Amino acid sequence: MPSKQEIYEKVVATLVDSLNVEPEEVRPEATLQGDLGAESIDFLDIVFRLERGFGIKIPRGELFPESIFQGDPQYVQDGKVTPQGIELLRQKLPFADIDSFAKDPQLSKISDLFTVEMICRYLEHRLQTEEAAAPQTH
Amino acid sequence: MRWIWIDRFVEFEPGRRAKAIKNLTQAEDYFREHLPGYPIFPISLLLEGLAQTGGILVGEAGNFERNVVLAKIASVQVHAEVYPGQQLEYEVELLDLREEGATVRGIARVQAQVVAEAEIMFAHVRPEQIGLQENFVFSGELKKLLALNRLLPPGKR
């Protein structure tokens, strides 16, 4: 399995290619939309490139879930994510920094959950799980 | 002018790759303006030709039931100018295909010389996403062209 650093470097290269940004701009805390200028179609492009780069399949919605709250007032009220909504986010985005978001849970800031670090954590988890499931060949 | 920027498919391997050709002639209007006194094929139209070749490859892979829409050109390299009288050959290879969209790698050549390369991404758009009720890509004119190329099976021409 690649090390954390190797995963990070590959993610940086992926985002540089996909979003046409400079490598220096891709910091762990950089947000995909706000800092790196990703648009909705770029998310699918990033998924394709990560699949190719890491030799894995990323099921739809697993890394970048779409329309999490579906306008349900249980989850969003007055432009803020409710405690139930925060719980849902923890389930749907287990690799995002939900704790920081929960301090000021503005719905408009939800895209800030999608960071470079989030992608790296997801990949670390995926590759670990896959390694554990693979047959041992000693 | 019809918005069809390929003349004919010369190779087609469903779900894998395709090759189409486009013949350029002085009679085409845009050469008068692009550029005045120095006719060269606009790179935007070259990309459109590659995208049409790729879009049909992607469309066929989904039995022409999905609306394949050009979504993103992640990279383009242009190596040479292309002139009236030349024949462009567009070769595309399917890199990724899934429910949400697809990516192809495309190469344009003139007499075996690579003139441009691009990575092109398509999204599968549902008619209701853009306020339509019926499929809007593989219909009408384009369907006729595909029938001429015998790409569509008889029942679908």
Side-chain angles (χ1 to χ4, degrees), chain A residues 12-133:
Chain A
V12 171
T14 300
L15 295 173
V16 165
D17 284 346
S18 175
L19 303 175
N20 209 6
V21 289
E22 297 299 323
E24 306 82 70
E25 294 176 72
V26 188
R27 291 163 286 104
E29 68 278 12
T31 62
L32 298 183
Q33 282 169 291
D35 294 331
L36 302 178
E39 295 178 29
S40 60
I41 196 68
D42 294 318
F43 287 92
L44 180 58
D45 185 32
I46 293 167
V47 166
F48 277 153
R49 287 169 192 272
L50 293 175
E51 286 188 336
R52 263 183 267 148
F54 289 91
I56 53 169
K57 281 281 154 211
I58 301 176
R60 182 172 193 171
E62 191 174 280
L63 176 57
F64 302 126
E66 301 151 50
S67 51
I68 298 172
F69 301 128
Q70 318 251 342
D72 189 331
Q74 189 193 166
Y75 300 127
V76 184
Q77 274 169 24
D78 303 323
K80 285 197 173 189
V81 179
T82 64
Q84 288 101 311
I86 295 290
E87 276 318 300
L88 187 66
L89 283 179
R90 288 189 202 281
Q91 290 166 29
K92 298 263 186 182
L93 291 167
F95 304 101
D97 182 6
I98 309 292
D99 291 338
S100 300
F101 176 78
K103 288 175 192 157
D104 181 23
Q106 306 277 348
L107 183 64
S108 58
K109 287 191 181 162
I110 205 145
S111 67
D112 292 350
L113 288 170
F114 298 97
T115 61
V116 176
E117 200 164 24
M118 187 203 86
I119 298 178
C120 293
R121 284 202 209 112
Y122 167 81
L123 289 169
E124 282 161 27
H125 173 80
R126 266 300 303 271
L127 295 169
Q128 253 165 24
T129 321
E130 231 149 82
E131 193 178 59

Side-chain angles (χ1 to χ4, degrees), chain B residues 71-138:
Chain B
K72 171 175 175 175
I73 299 181
S75 68
V76 185
Q77 282 118 42
V78 180
H79 305 291
E81 293 174 352
V82 184
Y83 309 111
Q86 292 187 313
Q87 182 181 72
L88 270 165
E89 183 188 275
Y90 296 131
E91 183 169 14
V92 297
E93 177 198 356
L94 196 59
L95 292 182
D96 303 285
L97 172 68
R98 57 196 275 168
E99 199 190 328
E100 305 100 292
T103 305
V104 301
R105 179 180 297 131
I107 298 176
R109 296 185 184 87
V110 171
Q111 289 186 325
Q113 187 206 347
V114 176
V115 293
E117 299 167 77
E119 202 175 295
I120 302 175
M121 203 182 149
F122 301 92
H124 289 139
V125 177
R126 293 189 311 278
E128 63 272 19
Q129 282 178 292
I130 55 167
L132 294 176
Q133 276 160 7
E134 290 179 356
N135 281 352
F136 54 92
V137 173
F138 295 105

